[in-house]
Amino acid sequence: MSTRLNDARILMYSHDSFGLGHLRRCRTIAHALVEDYRGLNVLIISGATIAGAFDYRARVDFVKIPSVIKLRNGEYTSLDRHIDLQETLKMRRSIIYHTAESFQPDIFIVDKEPMGLRGEVEETLTYLKAKGTKLVIGLRDVMDAPQLLEAEWKRNDVLSKIERYYDHVWVYGPPDFHDPLMGLDVPPKVRDKMDFVGFLQRSKTQSENPSQRTDGDYILVTTGGGGDGSELIDDVINAYKADPELTQKALIVLGPYMPGEQRQRFMQNTSDIPHIEIIEFDNRMEDIVAGAKAVVSMGGYNTVCEILSFDKPALIVPRIVPREEQLIRASRASDLGLFDMLLPEEAEDPQKMAQALKDLLHRAPPSANGKNLKLDGLENISRRIAEWLQPEDAVKVLPASA
């Protein structure tokens, strides 16, 4: 292993079978680390179909593995329907293993799926552990309802494998918000490895070509990747049609994974509503959130971090299938007074949704009730990386203004 931080290599894995959350989380961490430390190199393995649509800072790169799509019923299929799923998984395993073998990372950070999609990183974990690589599994603040997560993990013996392979279990949230393994029979050795690093703070991009929609007085409506966001967008459009007093501009971002026929339907359905603007996708969502007056969202992890980072009043309408992750996160945030929440069946009522949108314009930002809520995850991760990689030799980069 490298003995100097500024010679270190970090490999990250993001399975990305549905949406953009895993890749965006890995990219956020990678960008923060290369900004903090000279010479550090980060390579992200990603299955996201549009991994190349994002900007990457110097010393951050990605390896694209064949995409596997998660269907709404929880099953998987190859993106290329002409290739058998098992063949696709075989290719993914091989690329992951040989990337690790060639890159020789000092640290391997796996996002959310401890053994990867269908166990595809287990062989790589075995290899890297024998090489002395430090192995980290990073978990969201909320994984799923305990009974659902327990059943899934028991089938694959996940907890014992976490105990066997991983040196650390990072939780990307504070300990007083939610325990992602609550309700599971967690071995003491796994509990000892758990480290609640905190929410991952976001900042505006440093792109030379910033988003053209960062100015103006608008409610942002975002469904993340958009693969399962059509119901929320329908609810917002129906609210505008039902209530002529709802005149606040709404900027709807459909997301890159929204099916084409749904995109076309939304464009046609809003052609006579002057207060709604629709765009398909912008890879600088941080800038769009920062420019919004308020945000309407499904409550995915990254969007919640952006809402908190830019302190925006928010209305959350969580997805409740096939996972309850968003429902649990939104309920907890609502209980803390951070956001407003409507259940999907409530949001389907146009009058109720219209009233919630009007109320949102007068809602206090999250900081009003979450004064003690810290977003220090990136700082804590950076500190741990330096501690692991010989701090006496580490060269910390000061901000350019310092």
Side-chain angles (χ1 to χ4, degrees):
M1 287 182 65
S2 169
T3 59
R4 292 179 61 85
L5 177 61
N6 60 358
D7 293 330
R9 295 181 174 191
I10 296 178
L11 182 65
M12 306 184 81
Y13 163 82
S14 166
H15 73 286
D16 296 297
S17 61
F18 192 81
L20 295 170
H22 310 288
L23 173 61
R24 293 191 66 211
R25 187 162 47 242
C26 289
R27 178 173 167 268
T28 295
I29 294 170
H31 284 185
L33 290 174
V34 299
E35 187 173 294
D36 279 351
Y37 300 110
R38 291 193 187 100
L40 180 67
N41 291 280
V42 183
L43 183 62
I44 303 172
I45 299 173
S46 172
T49 58
I50 63 164
F54 291 95
D55 297 326
Y56 296 87
R57 294 185 184 170
R59 294 180 284 114
V60 177
D61 207 343
F62 72 95
V63 171
K64 171 72 175 63
I65 53 178
S67 296
V68 171
I69 302 300
K70 186 176 185 179
L71 305 174
R72 294 202 65 172
N73 63 5
E75 295 298 316
Y76 294 97
T77 185
S78 298
L79 180 64
D80 187 339
R81 300 300 176 90
H82 300 290
I83 302 177
D84 179 73
L85 175 61
Q86 295 307 315
E87 286 298 312
T88 300
L89 292 171
K90 183 178 178 181
M91 285 190 287
R92 286 169 61 109
R93 282 194 299 271
S94 177
I95 294 170
I96 293 165
Y97 182 87
H98 288 103
T99 298
E101 189 178 41
S102 299
F103 191 60
Q104 290 293 305
D106 300 289
I107 300 171
F108 184 34
I109 303 173
V110 172
D111 187 82
K112 196 259 178 184
E113 293 290 344
M115 295 299 109
L117 180 64
R118 299 285 179 90
E120 66 186 1
V121 299
E122 187 166 0
E123 182 183 9
T124 300
L125 289 169
T126 301
Y127 168 76
L128 291 177
K129 191 167 186 66
K131 299 286 288 185
T133 304
K134 190 170 286 291
L135 305 177
V136 181
I137 174 64
L139 305 179
R140 291 185 307 232
D141 57 334
V142 182
M143 293 288 285
D144 202 349
Q147 70 276 13
L148 299 177
L149 182 64
E150 182 177 38
E152 178 184 336
W153 279 18
K154 271 190 173 180
R155 284 196 302 271
N156 301 301
D157 198 24
V158 171
L159 282 169
S160 66
K161 290 180 178 181
I162 290 176
E163 181 178 344
R164 182 189 318 159
Y165 290 112
Y166 285 101
D167 301 298
H168 298 273
V169 178
W170 284 348
V171 178
Y172 299 130
D176 55 355
F177 184 80
H178 189 267
D179 177 356
L181 302 186
M182 180 178 63
L184 274 67
D185 185 14
V186 181
K189 288 184 179 179
V190 173
R191 276 286 172 203
D192 291 343
K193 296 177 182 182
M194 289 183 70
D195 183 1
F196 288 77
V197 298
F199 287 125
L200 306 179
Q201 186 168 19
R202 308 305 164 93
S203 56
K204 294 183 70 173
T205 67
Q206 299 177 4
S207 172
E208 296 179 0
N209 301 304
S211 171
Q212 299 301 307
R213 295 178 175 83
T214 54
D215 297 319
D217 195 15
Y218 58 87
I219 295 175
L220 170 64
V221 181
T222 173
T223 62
D228 58 354
S230 61
E231 290 90 349
L232 175 57
I233 295 173
D234 268 325
D235 294 340
V236 171
I237 292 173
N238 291 337
Y240 270 82
K241 288 185 173 183
D243 191 338
E245 295 181 0
L246 191 55
T247 58
Q248 174 64 53
K249 178 184 175 182
L251 174 62
I252 299 176
V253 182
L254 298 179
Y257 294 142
M258 180 162 289
E261 63 273 14
Q262 292 181 2
R263 295 169 186 261
Q264 188 172 7
R265 176 170 64 84
F266 289 136
M267 294 291 187
Q268 293 173 345
N269 209 15
T270 57
S271 60
D272 59 344
I273 306 177
H275 309 300
I276 292 181
E277 177 185 357
I278 294 181
I279 62 174
E280 293 193 0
F281 174 60
D282 195 306
N283 63 6
R284 298 167 293 260
M285 282 301 295
E286 297 91 344
D287 297 347
I288 295 183
V289 175
K293 186 170 185 177
V295 179
V296 179
S297 159
M298 295 167 63
Y301 178 83
N302 289 286
T303 304
V304 165
C305 284
E306 288 161 354
I307 291 169
L308 293 173
S309 296
F310 299 114
D311 203 23
K312 300 296 177 178
L315 170 65
I316 306 298
V317 183
R319 178 184 68 214
I320 58 176
V321 291
R323 296 192 181 276
E324 295 182 20
E325 165 223 345
Q326 294 181 356
L327 175 62
I328 295 168
R329 181 180 298 112
S331 298
R332 176 62 175 152
S334 177
D335 290 344
L336 293 173
L338 301 176
F339 311 141
D340 291 331
M341 183 184 80
L342 284 180
L343 293 172
E345 58 267 27
E346 295 175 316
E348 289 175 358
D349 182 331
Q351 295 296 340
K352 186 172 288 188
M353 185 63 165
Q355 188 59 52
L357 291 171
K358 289 188 287 189
D359 291 343
L360 179 60
L361 297 172
H362 306 289
R363 198 199 192 285
S367 61
N369 293 313
K371 293 182 174 61
N372 297 321
L373 186 65
K374 293 183 178 180
L375 284 82
D376 54 357
L378 296 176
E379 298 170 23
N380 291 329
I381 289 171
S382 182
R383 189 177 303 113
R384 284 152 179 73
I385 294 293
E387 290 169 354
W388 296 343
L389 298 173
Q390 301 297 329
E392 62 272 18
D393 293 327
V395 180
K396 185 71 181 286
V397 176
L398 295 174
S401 59

PDB file of all heavy atoms in Angstrom, residues 24-42:
ATOM      1  N   ARG A  24     -24.128   9.596  -8.097  1.00  0.00           N
ATOM      2  CA  ARG A  24     -24.011  10.985  -7.647  1.00  0.00           C
ATOM      3  C   ARG A  24     -23.402  11.057  -6.254  1.00  0.00           C
ATOM      4  O   ARG A  24     -22.641  11.979  -5.950  1.00  0.00           O
ATOM      5  CB  ARG A  24     -25.383  11.668  -7.655  1.00  0.00           C
ATOM      6  CG  ARG A  24     -25.963  11.861  -9.062  1.00  0.00           C
ATOM      7  CD  ARG A  24     -27.177  12.762  -9.030  1.00  0.00           C
ATOM      8  NE  ARG A  24     -26.807  14.100  -8.631  1.00  0.00           N
ATOM      9  CZ  ARG A  24     -27.592  14.933  -7.951  1.00  0.00           C
ATOM     10  NH1 ARG A  24     -28.791  14.516  -7.568  1.00  0.00           N
ATOM     11  NH2 ARG A  24     -27.202  16.128  -7.647  1.00  0.00           N
ATOM     12  N   ARG A  25     -23.705  10.091  -5.404  1.00  0.00           N
ATOM     13  CA  ARG A  25     -23.112  10.078  -4.068  1.00  0.00           C
ATOM     14  C   ARG A  25     -21.600   9.800  -4.154  1.00  0.00           C
ATOM     15  O   ARG A  25     -20.794  10.476  -3.510  1.00  0.00           O
ATOM     16  CB  ARG A  25     -23.815   9.026  -3.211  1.00  0.00           C
ATOM     17  CG  ARG A  25     -23.402   9.034  -1.758  1.00  0.00           C
ATOM     18  CD  ARG A  25     -24.411   8.313  -0.871  1.00  0.00           C
ATOM     19  NE  ARG A  25     -24.822   7.030  -1.392  1.00  0.00           N
ATOM     20  CZ  ARG A  25     -26.088   6.720  -1.730  1.00  0.00           C
ATOM     21  NH1 ARG A  25     -27.063   7.587  -1.589  1.00  0.00           N
ATOM     22  NH2 ARG A  25     -26.381   5.506  -2.194  1.00  0.00           N
ATOM     23  N   CYS A  26     -21.216   8.804  -4.963  1.00  0.00           N
ATOM     24  CA  CYS A  26     -19.800   8.501  -5.136  1.00  0.00           C
ATOM     25  C   CYS A  26     -19.049   9.687  -5.735  1.00  0.00           C
ATOM     26  O   CYS A  26     -17.935  10.015  -5.291  1.00  0.00           O
ATOM     27  CB  CYS A  26     -19.631   7.277  -6.040  1.00  0.00           C
ATOM     28  SG  CYS A  26     -20.134   5.711  -5.294  1.00  0.00           S
ATOM     29  N   ARG A  27     -19.646  10.318  -6.717  1.00  0.00           N
ATOM     30  CA  ARG A  27     -19.005  11.461  -7.377  1.00  0.00           C
ATOM     31  C   ARG A  27     -18.821  12.618  -6.405  1.00  0.00           C
ATOM     32  O   ARG A  27     -17.779  13.292  -6.400  1.00  0.00           O
ATOM     33  CB  ARG A  27     -19.869  11.882  -8.571  1.00  0.00           C
ATOM     34  CG  ARG A  27     -19.385  13.080  -9.362  1.00  0.00           C
ATOM     35  CD  ARG A  27     -20.255  13.235 -10.598  1.00  0.00           C
ATOM     36  NE  ARG A  27     -20.080  14.517 -11.258  1.00  0.00           N
ATOM     37  CZ  ARG A  27     -20.810  15.605 -11.006  1.00  0.00           C
ATOM     38  NH1 ARG A  27     -21.791  15.536 -10.094  1.00  0.00           N
ATOM     39  NH2 ARG A  27     -20.594  16.734 -11.644  1.00  0.00           N
ATOM     40  N   THR A  28     -19.809  12.853  -5.542  1.00  0.00           N
ATOM     41  CA  THR A  28     -19.705  13.914  -4.544  1.00  0.00           C
ATOM     42  C   THR A  28     -18.526  13.665  -3.605  1.00  0.00           C
ATOM     43  O   THR A  28     -17.730  14.572  -3.322  1.00  0.00           O
ATOM     44  CB  THR A  28     -21.011  14.007  -3.732  1.00  0.00           C
ATOM     45  OG1 THR A  28     -22.077  14.405  -4.603  1.00  0.00           O
ATOM     46  CG2 THR A  28     -20.886  15.012  -2.599  1.00  0.00           C
ATOM     47  N   ILE A  29     -18.401  12.438  -3.126  1.00  0.00           N
ATOM     48  CA  ILE A  29     -17.303  12.089  -2.225  1.00  0.00           C
ATOM     49  C   ILE A  29     -15.962  12.216  -2.946  1.00  0.00           C
ATOM     50  O   ILE A  29     -14.998  12.787  -2.414  1.00  0.00           O
ATOM     51  CB  ILE A  29     -17.494  10.667  -1.671  1.00  0.00           C
ATOM     52  CG1 ILE A  29     -18.733  10.608  -0.779  1.00  0.00           C
ATOM     53  CG2 ILE A  29     -16.258  10.203  -0.904  1.00  0.00           C
ATOM     54  CD1 ILE A  29     -19.145   9.198  -0.380  1.00  0.00           C
ATOM     55  N   ALA A  30     -15.891  11.701  -4.170  1.00  0.00           N
ATOM     56  CA  ALA A  30     -14.642  11.747  -4.931  1.00  0.00           C
ATOM     57  C   ALA A  30     -14.189  13.178  -5.167  1.00  0.00           C
ATOM     58  O   ALA A  30     -13.010  13.513  -4.991  1.00  0.00           O
ATOM     59  CB  ALA A  30     -14.833  11.020  -6.265  1.00  0.00           C
ATOM     60  N   HIS A  31     -15.113  14.047  -5.554  1.00  0.00           N
ATOM     61  CA  HIS A  31     -14.758  15.441  -5.821  1.00  0.00           C
ATOM     62  C   HIS A  31     -14.260  16.138  -4.561  1.00  0.00           C
ATOM     63  O   HIS A  31     -13.303  16.926  -4.601  1.00  0.00           O
ATOM     64  CB  HIS A  31     -15.952  16.189  -6.408  1.00  0.00           C
ATOM     65  CG  HIS A  31     -16.207  15.881  -7.844  1.00  0.00           C
ATOM     66  ND1 HIS A  31     -17.172  16.509  -8.607  1.00  0.00           N
ATOM     67  CD2 HIS A  31     -15.608  14.995  -8.683  1.00  0.00           C
ATOM     68  CE1 HIS A  31     -17.144  16.027  -9.832  1.00  0.00           C
ATOM     69  NE2 HIS A  31     -16.221  15.115  -9.904  1.00  0.00           N
ATOM     70  N   ALA A  32     -14.904  15.853  -3.439  1.00  0.00           N
ATOM     71  CA  ALA A  32     -14.473  16.474  -2.186  1.00  0.00           C
ATOM     72  C   ALA A  32     -13.061  16.024  -1.815  1.00  0.00           C
ATOM     73  O   ALA A  32     -12.238  16.836  -1.353  1.00  0.00           O
ATOM     74  CB  ALA A  32     -15.450  16.138  -1.068  1.00  0.00           C
ATOM     75  N   LEU A  33     -12.757  14.766  -2.034  1.00  0.00           N
ATOM     76  CA  LEU A  33     -11.441  14.248  -1.645  1.00  0.00           C
ATOM     77  C   LEU A  33     -10.320  14.797  -2.516  1.00  0.00           C
ATOM     78  O   LEU A  33      -9.249  15.170  -2.012  1.00  0.00           O
ATOM     79  CB  LEU A  33     -11.456  12.714  -1.692  1.00  0.00           C
ATOM     80  CG  LEU A  33     -12.287  12.034  -0.607  1.00  0.00           C
ATOM     81  CD1 LEU A  33     -12.348  10.529  -0.837  1.00  0.00           C
ATOM     82  CD2 LEU A  33     -11.726  12.336   0.780  1.00  0.00           C
ATOM     83  N   VAL A  34     -10.529  14.852  -3.831  1.00  0.00           N
ATOM     84  CA  VAL A  34      -9.454  15.379  -4.683  1.00  0.00           C
ATOM     85  C   VAL A  34      -9.291  16.881  -4.502  1.00  0.00           C
ATOM     86  O   VAL A  34      -8.219  17.435  -4.766  1.00  0.00           O
ATOM     87  CB  VAL A  34      -9.669  15.035  -6.174  1.00  0.00           C
ATOM     88  CG1 VAL A  34      -9.682  13.524  -6.375  1.00  0.00           C
ATOM     89  CG2 VAL A  34     -10.941  15.673  -6.732  1.00  0.00           C
ATOM     90  N   GLU A  35     -10.340  17.536  -4.049  1.00  0.00           N
ATOM     91  CA  GLU A  35     -10.218  18.961  -3.753  1.00  0.00           C
ATOM     92  C   GLU A  35      -9.397  19.173  -2.485  1.00  0.00           C
ATOM     93  O   GLU A  35      -8.656  20.143  -2.363  1.00  0.00           O
ATOM     94  CB  GLU A  35     -11.612  19.581  -3.597  1.00  0.00           C
ATOM     95  CG  GLU A  35     -11.608  21.089  -3.446  1.00  0.00           C
ATOM     96  CD  GLU A  35     -13.005  21.669  -3.470  1.00  0.00           C
ATOM     97  OE1 GLU A  35     -13.668  21.592  -4.529  1.00  0.00           O
ATOM     98  OE2 GLU A  35     -13.439  22.179  -2.428  1.00  0.00           O
ATOM     99  N   ASP A  36      -9.513  18.249  -1.547  1.00  0.00           N
ATOM    100  CA  ASP A  36      -8.804  18.373  -0.277  1.00  0.00           C
ATOM    101  C   ASP A  36      -7.333  17.969  -0.371  1.00  0.00           C
ATOM    102  O   ASP A  36      -6.497  18.506   0.351  1.00  0.00           O
ATOM    103  CB  ASP A  36      -9.481  17.518   0.799  1.00  0.00           C
ATOM    104  CG  ASP A  36     -10.690  18.195   1.421  1.00  0.00           C
ATOM    105  OD1 ASP A  36     -10.907  19.388   1.146  1.00  0.00           O
ATOM    106  OD2 ASP A  36     -11.414  17.524   2.181  1.00  0.00           O
ATOM    107  N   TYR A  37      -7.020  17.003  -1.231  1.00  0.00           N
ATOM    108  CA  TYR A  37      -5.680  16.412  -1.191  1.00  0.00           C
ATOM    109  C   TYR A  37      -5.030  16.337  -2.558  1.00  0.00           C
ATOM    110  O   TYR A  37      -5.608  15.794  -3.502  1.00  0.00           O
ATOM    111  CB  TYR A  37      -5.746  15.004  -0.580  1.00  0.00           C
ATOM    112  CG  TYR A  37      -6.292  14.995   0.816  1.00  0.00           C
ATOM    113  CD1 TYR A  37      -7.543  14.449   1.084  1.00  0.00           C
ATOM    114  CD2 TYR A  37      -5.589  15.588   1.860  1.00  0.00           C
ATOM    115  CE1 TYR A  37      -8.057  14.450   2.364  1.00  0.00           C
ATOM    116  CE2 TYR A  37      -6.102  15.605   3.144  1.00  0.00           C
ATOM    117  CZ  TYR A  37      -7.332  15.038   3.396  1.00  0.00           C
ATOM    118  OH  TYR A  37      -7.848  15.059   4.664  1.00  0.00           O
ATOM    119  N   ARG A  38      -3.833  16.861  -2.641  1.00  0.00           N
ATOM    120  CA  ARG A  38      -3.054  16.794  -3.876  1.00  0.00           C
ATOM    121  C   ARG A  38      -2.675  15.346  -4.182  1.00  0.00           C
ATOM    122  O   ARG A  38      -2.338  14.576  -3.293  1.00  0.00           O
ATOM    123  CB  ARG A  38      -1.769  17.604  -3.743  1.00  0.00           C
ATOM    124  CG  ARG A  38      -1.941  19.103  -3.674  1.00  0.00           C
ATOM    125  CD  ARG A  38      -0.599  19.780  -3.857  1.00  0.00           C
ATOM    126  NE  ARG A  38      -0.705  21.218  -3.629  1.00  0.00           N
ATOM    127  CZ  ARG A  38      -0.355  21.821  -2.513  1.00  0.00           C
ATOM    128  NH1 ARG A  38       0.112  21.108  -1.500  1.00  0.00           N
ATOM    129  NH2 ARG A  38      -0.469  23.124  -2.381  1.00  0.00           N
ATOM    130  N   GLY A  39      -2.703  15.023  -5.457  1.00  0.00           N
ATOM    131  CA  GLY A  39      -2.168  13.744  -5.887  1.00  0.00           C
ATOM    132  C   GLY A  39      -3.074  12.554  -5.672  1.00  0.00           C
ATOM    133  O   GLY A  39      -2.789  11.470  -6.183  1.00  0.00           O
ATOM    134  N   LEU A  40      -4.152  12.712  -4.923  1.00  0.00           N
ATOM    135  CA  LEU A  40      -5.084  11.615  -4.697  1.00  0.00           C
ATOM    136  C   LEU A  40      -5.851  11.323  -5.982  1.00  0.00           C
ATOM    137  O   LEU A  40      -6.341  12.235  -6.639  1.00  0.00           O
ATOM    138  CB  LEU A  40      -6.063  11.989  -3.578  1.00  0.00           C
ATOM    139  CG  LEU A  40      -7.120  10.956  -3.189  1.00  0.00           C
ATOM    140  CD1 LEU A  40      -6.461   9.754  -2.544  1.00  0.00           C
ATOM    141  CD2 LEU A  40      -8.132  11.573  -2.235  1.00  0.00           C
ATOM    142  N   ASN A  41      -5.936  10.057  -6.343  1.00  0.00           N
ATOM    143  CA  ASN A  41      -6.666   9.661  -7.545  1.00  0.00           C
ATOM    144  C   ASN A  41      -7.838   8.769  -7.174  1.00  0.00           C
ATOM    145  O   ASN A  41      -7.688   7.849  -6.356  1.00  0.00           O
ATOM    146  CB  ASN A  41      -5.736   8.904  -8.502  1.00  0.00           C
ATOM    147  CG  ASN A  41      -4.692   9.819  -9.101  1.00  0.00           C
ATOM    148  OD1 ASN A  41      -4.968  10.552 -10.035  1.00  0.00           O
ATOM    149  ND2 ASN A  41      -3.482   9.784  -8.551  1.00  0.00           N
ATOM    150  N   VAL A  42      -8.996   9.034  -7.781  1.00  0.00           N
ATOM    151  CA  VAL A  42     -10.207   8.269  -7.496  1.00  0.00           C
ATOM    152  C   VAL A  42     -10.762   7.722  -8.805  1.00  0.00           C
ATOM    153  O   VAL A  42     -10.895   8.450  -9.793  1.00  0.00           O
ATOM    154  CB  VAL A  42     -11.279   9.128  -6.801  1.00  0.00           C
ATOM    155  CG1 VAL A  42     -12.498   8.275  -6.455  1.00  0.00           C
ATOM    156  CG2 VAL A  42     -10.725   9.791  -5.547  1.00  0.00           C
TER     157      VAL A  42
END
